[in-house]
């Protein structure tokens, strides 16, 4: 930690999402942005000037700085694992963007290396930070909807071919790890299992229908939850004027519907429901800022971050299970 008592942060990868991390660090009283690194030095220099940080020539050099406590990893998904392991071995705590990695064995290596080196591993799932999402989770945990029967989620977004052509790693198995489900849909996949519980089996179909990419632009999965409930995941990046994220959760006592981060319908049998007044929330940047401050406090108070590496694994199991099911045309048991 720094002499002023703040937690020192550094960022690896100075692309678009790194700006959200940098602003979140600047807005966190307990944190200070110390350093940045990017393979493109000119990009790193511009970023460092913008946010008042020091540029390092290599990750290795940056990791030698004692005052740096946390590494935010904002690079393409395919290299998250190796960078996390490298930082953990240097005794740095890690806050890694979604997805944590693109292979389950890499996630396990990340978790194990962080445990062995006694450092904290957090992963970014900012939609969990929404006050309305937290309210919905508590409602379900308290059994207000009763035994759940049908729990589904939908992601209808639009990404044109130019989006995928704008960077060589987009839409590739090697660096993106998947398409609509892995990149855009992972937040919704995570939210669904976080709200209603773990999934026991998946039967899915994933295809590139309209985009010239290696990975999928459209996917459908049928789910069976460990609770016995069933569900559907529909995710696409081909929806012109798509409406984003939506959840429909039905149980024996009621129905809950969420669009983006807003509860749009809540019906509980025999009860008159009046939703509380929620604090304003925008998933970007508010979710990142909350998780960044939480990581700083986790270090100061020596506790686990709000979304751990183990938490980050669950959604990846569902996504990779869907891909495996699509390839094998078989139901996959998680």
């Amino acid at each position: 930690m720094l002499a002023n008592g703040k937690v020192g942060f550094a960022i690896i990868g100075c692309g678009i999402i790194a700006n959200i991390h940098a602003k979140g660090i600047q807005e966190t009283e307990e944190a200070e942005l110390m350093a940045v690194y990017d393979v493109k030095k000119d990009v790193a220099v511009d970023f460092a000037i913008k946010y008042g940080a020091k540029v390092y020539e290599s990750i290795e050099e940056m990791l030698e700085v004692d005052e740096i406590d946390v590494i935010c990893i904002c690079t393409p998904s395919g290299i998250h694992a190796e960078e996390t392991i490298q930082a953990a071995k240097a005794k740095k705590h890690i806050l890694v963007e979604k997805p944590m990695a693109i292979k389950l064995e890499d996630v396990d290596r990340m978790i194990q290396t962080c445990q062995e080196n006694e450092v904290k591993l957090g992963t970014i799932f900012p939609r969990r930070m929404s006050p309305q999402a937290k309210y919905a989770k508590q409602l379900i945990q308290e059994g207000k909807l009763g035994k759940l029967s049908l729990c589904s989620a939908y992601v209808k977004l639009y990404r044109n071919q130019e989006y995928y052509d704008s960077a060589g790693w987009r839409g590739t198995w090697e660096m993106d790890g998947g398409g609509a489900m892995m990149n855009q849909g992972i937040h919704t996949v995570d939210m669904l299992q976080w709200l209603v519980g773990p999934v026991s089996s998946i039967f899915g179909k994933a295809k590139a229908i309209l985009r010239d990419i290696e990975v999928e632009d459209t996917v459908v999965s049928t789910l069976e939850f460990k609770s016995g409930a069933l569900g559907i995941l529909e995710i696409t990046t081909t929806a012109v004027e798509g409406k984003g994220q939506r959840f429909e959760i039905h149980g024996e006592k009621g129905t809950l519907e969420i669009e983006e981060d807003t509860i749009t319908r809540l019906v509980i049998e025999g009860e008159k429901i009046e939703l509380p007044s929620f604090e304003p929330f925008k998933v970007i940047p508010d979710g990142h800022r909350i998780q960044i401050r939480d990581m700083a406090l986790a270090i100061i108070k020596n506790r686990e971050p709000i979304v751990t590496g183990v938490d980050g694994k669950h959604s990846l199991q569902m996504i990779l299970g869907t891909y495996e099911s699509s390839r094998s045309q078989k139901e996959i048991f998680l």
Side-chain angles (χ1 to χ4, degrees), residues 12 59-60 63 81-91 113:
I12 299 177
I59 294 176
E60 291 78 10
L63 293 176
E82 296 310 319
E83 290 170 341
T84 296
I85 289 167
Q86 185 180 6
K89 288 180 177 178
K91 307 299 184 182
T113 305

Side-chain angles (χ1 to χ4, degrees), residues 298-318:
I299 293 167
I300 292 169
K301 298 180 179 181
N302 193 26
R303 59 164 173 80
E304 286 296 299
I306 195 168
V307 186
T308 66
V310 174
D311 294 329
K313 181 178 177 179
H314 300 154
S315 55
L316 192 63
Q317 289 175 310
M318 292 172 64

Side-chain angles (χ1 to χ4, degrees), residues 227-243:
S227 66
L230 300 179
I232 294 288
L233 274 168
E234 291 183 12
I235 303 171
T236 188
T237 50
T238 67
V240 178
E241 297 188 5
K243 293 187 177 180

Side-chain angles (χ1 to χ4, degrees), residues 160-175:
N160 58 23
Q161 187 64 44
E162 287 72 26
Y163 165 82
Y164 292 103
D165 294 340
S166 66
W169 60 272
R170 293 192 192 277
T172 66
W173 287 114
E174 181 181 2
M175 297 304 288

Side-chain angles (χ1 to χ4, degrees), residues 57-75:
E57 297 286 337
S58 68
I59 294 176
E60 291 78 10
E61 182 186 7
M62 189 171 72
L63 293 176
E64 290 176 358
V65 180
D66 290 339
E67 291 79 11
I68 295 173
D69 303 294
V70 182
I71 306 295
C72 292
I73 296 179
C74 302
T75 49

